Amino acid sequence: QDRQQGLLMYSQGKWVVLAQAAFKDKVITAIVETADAGYLITTLKQGVWLLKAGKLTHLALPESIAAAHIYTASPINDHEYALGTTSDGVYIIEISQGFNKRTVQGKVVRHFDSDTRLQNNNVLSLFVDREQNIWLGLDKGIDLVDYNSFIQTISPVYNTPAACYTALIYKNQLVIGTSDGLYKA
């Protein structure tokens, strides 16, 4: 990244401009290869971008993600990416192409933060292992998100255990009857 020339790549002994003006005023925090020979580029405060075949596309994601300061990123599989933030934990986003293959869409699939069992929300590094577990380096410790597991902890209020008396799947949603009330996930 260069203030005058933008985003550069060193190839065959010389610097090649990938995106000239787009990143002059932005702090790039991660560049991740995508499955379709492109790059997912995260910025500290201006969100997520896709660069493919010289075309740069800004992903429309909730403003809260950019406001949380994206600090790190890693692919989980061919279409999902983990974004670590400095103030709101980890967002898992899914990227897909539109029906006409010209538009790229992003959506939040999951969100993990201190309310959903992380020690804190300041994610400084992350690593996805071959079983798709997400290891998080926090400012005060390490957390593991067992992302690919069918078993999940469900608690309506964090650190407030409730006795579960019944559960069923109704209209493709899990419904749980507890000592504190009825919840759906």
Side-chain angles (χ1 to χ4, degrees):
Q1 183 176 9
D2 180 76
R3 288 182 189 219
Q4 275 70 42
Q5 295 183 6
L7 183 62
L8 307 167
M9 179 172 75
Y10 193 72
S11 176
Q12 299 178 356
K14 62 182 179 177
W15 290 101
V16 178
V17 176
L18 294 179
Q20 190 166 18
F23 296 106
K24 286 184 180 180
D25 61 341
K26 297 169 183 63
V27 177
I28 294 174
T29 54
I31 300 175
V32 178
E33 278 191 84
T34 62
D36 60 354
Y39 298 96
L40 176 113
I41 303 169
T42 63
T43 62
L44 187 63
K45 298 179 182 179
Q46 286 86 14
V48 180
W49 303 76
L50 283 175
L51 178 64
K52 183 176 178 191
K55 182 182 178 196
L56 190 63
T57 306
H58 187 258
L59 274 185
L61 292 169
E63 288 292 322
S64 59
I65 296 176
H69 298 165
I70 302 167
Y71 198 76
T72 185
S74 182
I76 298 174
N77 53 44
D78 286 348
H79 58 280
E80 290 180 316
Y81 299 85
L83 307 177
T85 71
T86 60
S87 63
D88 202 16
V90 174
Y91 287 89
I92 308 301
I93 63 168
E94 180 180 67
I95 298 174
S96 60
Q97 291 205 334
F99 293 110
N100 63 6
K101 301 283 187 185
R102 293 183 184 172
T103 60
V104 181
Q105 301 161 341
K107 73 174 185 175
V108 176
V109 179
R110 302 277 303 270
H111 178 220
F112 301 99
D113 61 7
S114 59
D115 290 337
T116 56
R117 308 277 188 298
L118 294 186
Q119 295 176 66
N120 64 62
N121 288 328
N122 192 356
V123 179
L124 301 175
S125 62
L126 58 89
F127 170 76
V128 178
D129 67 21
R130 62 183 138 198
E131 281 85 34
Q132 295 181 332
N133 297 308
I134 306 169
W135 295 86
L136 306 174
L138 308 175
D139 63 346
K140 294 181 182 174
I142 298 172
D143 269 345
L144 169 66
V145 175
D146 192 7
Y147 182 67
N148 215 20
S149 176
F150 291 107
I151 301 171
Q152 299 290 323
T153 302
I154 299 172
S155 180
V157 180
Y158 180 63
N159 269 345
T160 307
C164 180
Y165 294 112
T166 189
L168 65 93
I169 295 180
Y170 178 72
K171 294 186 179 180
N172 291 326
Q173 287 194 309
L174 176 63
V175 179
I176 301 169
T178 73
S179 57
D180 287 348
L182 192 63
Y183 298 93
K184 66 179 180 175

